[in-house]
């Protein structure tokens, strides 16, 4: 299984890897923002979290297209 995963990563187009990395970056940013104490959760921070989810969704779509999985 490990060898198959490594082979898949090596064969992945660099453009797909880019979008996968951007998606992971958004996911980490969301996690960091969601760990903010509830007393500091402002409307602006809430909006930033929503924007991060939108960016993550867009990066997911681009990743799927680059992998050739989109119809």
């Amino acid at each position: 299984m490990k060898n198959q995963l490594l082979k898949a990563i090596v064969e992945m187009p660099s453009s797909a890897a880019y979008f996968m990395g951007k998606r992971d970056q958004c996911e980490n940013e969301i996690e960091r923002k969601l760990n903010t104490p509830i007393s500091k959760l402002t409307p602006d921070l809430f909006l930033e979290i929503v924007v991060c989810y939108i960016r993550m969704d867009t990066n997911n779509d681009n990743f799927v297209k680059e992998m050739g999985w989109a119809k």
Side-chain angles (χ1 to χ4, degrees):
M1 177 66 180
K2 185 177 178 182
N3 289 337
Q4 292 172 339
L5 181 59
L6 291 175
K7 183 180 177 191
I9 291 171
V10 167
E11 294 175 353
M12 180 187 303
S14 60
S15 55
Y18 170 80
F19 288 117
M20 186 173 75
K22 294 301 265 183
R23 182 213 175 272
D24 290 344
Q25 182 182 11
C26 291
E27 186 177 27
N28 290 336
E29 190 174 338
I30 290 169
E31 185 176 337
R32 184 178 49 80
K33 290 178 190 242
L34 287 176
N35 285 328
T36 302
I38 194 71
S39 62
K40 295 183 180 181
L41 189 59
T42 62
D44 288 341
L45 183 59
F46 179 77
L47 182 61
E48 288 177 26
I49 292 170
V50 170
V51 169
C52 286
Y53 273 109
I54 292 169
R55 285 185 13 231
M56 189 168 72
D57 189 47
T58 302
N59 287 320
N60 277 338
D61 290 345
N62 290 333
F63 174 75
V64 168
K65 288 175 188 170
E66 292 298 323
M67 290 300 290
W69 298 339
K71 293 183 179 181

